[in-house]
Amino acid sequence: MNKPRANEIDLLRFLAALAVVIFHYAFRGYAAHSSSMPYPLLAPVAKYGCYGVELFFLISGFVILMSASSGSLKHFVISRIVRLYPAFWVCCTLTFLILLFFGRNAPTLVQYASNMTMLSGFGVMQKIAPVTPIDGSYWSLVVEMRFYALVAVLLLLRQIHRAELFLTGWLVAVVLFELTGMDHLRDILIVDYAAYFIAGAMMYQVWSHGMSWLRLGVILGSWALALYESWIGVPKIEAGSHTTIDRGLVLLLITLFFVLMLVVALKKSGWFGRRNWMVVGALTYPLYLVHQAIGYVVFNHFYPGLNPHGLLWGTVALMIAVAYVINVHVEQPVAGAFKWRLNRWWDASRALFVSVARPSLD
């Protein structure tokens, strides 16, 4: 049987990815000296596209709790691996090759191999073998995987049915963390972005079970925390991009994201909720992975020789087309066989563990 689906999520995903693409192409690339092409016509608006990642995290909270709701750790882990790795391997390899032959600073094989694990951004890995990401967009994957790990722990402990209690405790812990100014456990609690994951997950609870005072309270508390984190995060963005950010507009954007997701959770989106957006939703992940570094290479090679308007929008269209090819010819064909093999490996590993552990228990 087909599980119920929140169709609007696919559209919001794509719009969030497009906002990040425009941010990189029309503002961030030139501001960070990674791209030689300025785009002043759109830059004052494009610089706010970086907050598309916050919308991604809200959506992730919703979708990941939905994925974990079956209560199966095996299903959750395998579904995440199948969703993340095939497209990532292709995008990372494509980016590596293009940067190797056409980029300003060629990545090394060690950097490439480390990036292919998708674990190079974690603190432990950075201490063992510090490397930089081949594409700057990969930073958010580390944040996402920390959230996946927390959900996996709940599944391992068979406590996913107490997700609301966990989310409430997580929110309280982050607020206390910020009030006390502690520095340890920051990564584990995902302090900077926890508000989005917590709110998104609680909105899934609203979507699947209806509103309650606890759910409403956690969502409102997460919204307040998200506004606070966004407010104190503005100076870092300004310093990194040598620009000024309107804090009022940032707070308005974050509030808009919460309102949109709450409309989805309450099933009040009307026509948008009834329409199937799976095609554009499927492009989101490969588009996010492949666009940044390769786009900068395109700009550096063809600007100012080509018209900047045609070059910008032509590159956006090209990256969407590449994402489509990756989804249709990599993600979709590989998913079934990859999932089947991972299921076999999981069952074999579990059987081996049981056979080894049982004698010691006896």
Side-chain angles (χ1 to χ4, degrees):
M1 293 179 64
N2 292 328
K3 295 178 66 175
R5 183 178 181 85
N7 294 316
E8 313 94 317
I9 293 292
D10 289 313
L11 177 61
L12 291 177
R13 273 176 171 161
F14 181 75
L15 294 177
L18 195 58
V20 174
V21 171
I22 299 303
F23 164 71
H24 286 139
Y25 285 3
F27 175 74
R28 175 64 180 171
Y30 187 73
H33 309 294
S34 298
S35 165
S36 61
M37 188 181 79
Y39 203 77
L41 181 66
L42 201 54
V45 175
K47 64 184 178 182
Y48 295 96
C50 62
Y51 290 97
V53 177
E54 276 76 353
L55 179 54
F56 271 133
F57 292 154
L58 257 176
I59 293 170
S60 183
F62 188 103
V63 172
I64 296 307
L65 193 59
M66 177 187 286
S67 177
S69 62
S70 66
S72 169
L73 177 62
K74 173 184 173 181
H75 168 78
F76 178 74
V77 171
I78 290 176
S79 67
R80 288 301 90 203
I81 292 174
V82 171
R83 179 72 182 97
L84 294 179
Y85 275 94
F88 180 80
W89 286 333
V90 171
C91 293
C92 186
T93 300
L94 181 61
T95 302
F96 169 71
L97 293 174
I98 289 179
L99 291 178
L100 186 65
F101 291 106
F102 304 106
R104 291 174 174 175
N105 299 305
T108 65
L109 282 172
V110 171
Q111 184 183 3
Y112 167 66
S114 180
N115 272 250
M116 287 286 277
T117 67
M118 210 187 290
L119 301 174
S120 58
F122 284 90
V124 175
M125 293 295 292
Q126 282 294 312
K127 292 178 181 178
I128 297 173
V131 296
T132 56
I134 288 178
D135 190 297
S137 296
Y138 296 171
W139 73 269
S140 65
L141 298 179
V142 177
V143 179
E144 289 271 359
M145 292 179 75
R146 289 193 178 110
F147 175 54
Y148 299 167
L150 292 177
V151 175
V153 170
L154 278 183
L155 289 168
L156 181 64
L157 298 176
R158 299 182 180 180
Q159 298 297 309
I160 197 66
H161 61 286
R162 293 191 171 93
E164 290 188 14
L165 180 62
F166 166 76
L167 293 170
T168 305
W170 186 10
L171 176 61
V172 171
V174 173
V175 171
L176 291 176
F177 183 98
E178 289 290 47
L179 290 175
T180 58
M182 294 185 296
D183 198 36
H184 59 287
L185 299 180
R186 189 172 194 88
D187 288 343
I188 293 175
L189 291 175
I190 324 175
V191 170
D192 296 334
Y193 303 103
Y196 303 100
F197 293 119
I198 294 168
M202 197 59 89
M203 287 178 188
Y204 168 72
Q205 293 293 94
V206 172
W207 183 81
S208 56
H209 303 297
M211 184 61 82
S212 71
W213 286 111
L214 175 63
R215 292 163 193 158
L216 179 60
V218 170
I219 290 169
L220 291 175
S222 299
W223 168 64
L225 177 60
L227 294 182
Y228 170 77
E229 296 292 352
S230 300
W231 183 275
I232 65 174
V234 165
K236 183 178 179 181
I237 296 175
E238 291 178 331
S241 300
H242 308 290
T243 188
T244 56
I245 298 292
D246 185 336
R247 276 186 165 95
L249 184 54
V250 171
L251 299 186
L252 183 62
L253 270 176
I254 300 302
T255 300
L256 176 62
F257 296 159
F258 272 75
V259 169
L260 286 172
M261 286 298 295
L262 193 56
V263 167
V264 173
L266 294 171
K267 303 178 182 178
K268 299 294 185 181
S269 58
W271 178 83
F272 290 98
R274 294 189 297 270
R275 190 171 179 82
N276 190 326
W277 302 99
M278 287 182 65
V279 174
V280 292
L283 304 182
T284 299
Y285 183 54
L287 175 61
Y288 182 81
L289 292 176
V290 81
H291 79 276
Q292 186 178 353
I294 295 176
Y296 293 162
V297 170
V298 172
F299 297 152
N300 292 336
H301 275 76
F302 294 103
Y303 179 83
L306 296 180
N307 178 278
H309 306 299
L311 186 55
L312 175 77
W313 298 111
T315 304
V316 171
L318 174 63
M319 292 301 107
I320 292 174
V322 171
Y324 177 80
V325 170
I326 292 171
N327 174 252
V328 171
H329 296 287
V330 177
E331 290 186 291
Q332 293 183 29
V334 165
F338 193 29
K339 183 179 291 186
W340 177 81
R341 188 170 295 276
L342 287 172
N343 272 290
R344 290 195 62 186
W345 286 346
W346 183 284
D347 293 338
S349 299
R350 186 174 183 276
L352 178 62
F353 174 78
V354 170
S355 66
V356 171
R358 182 169 293 164
S360 62
L361 293 174
D362 294 341

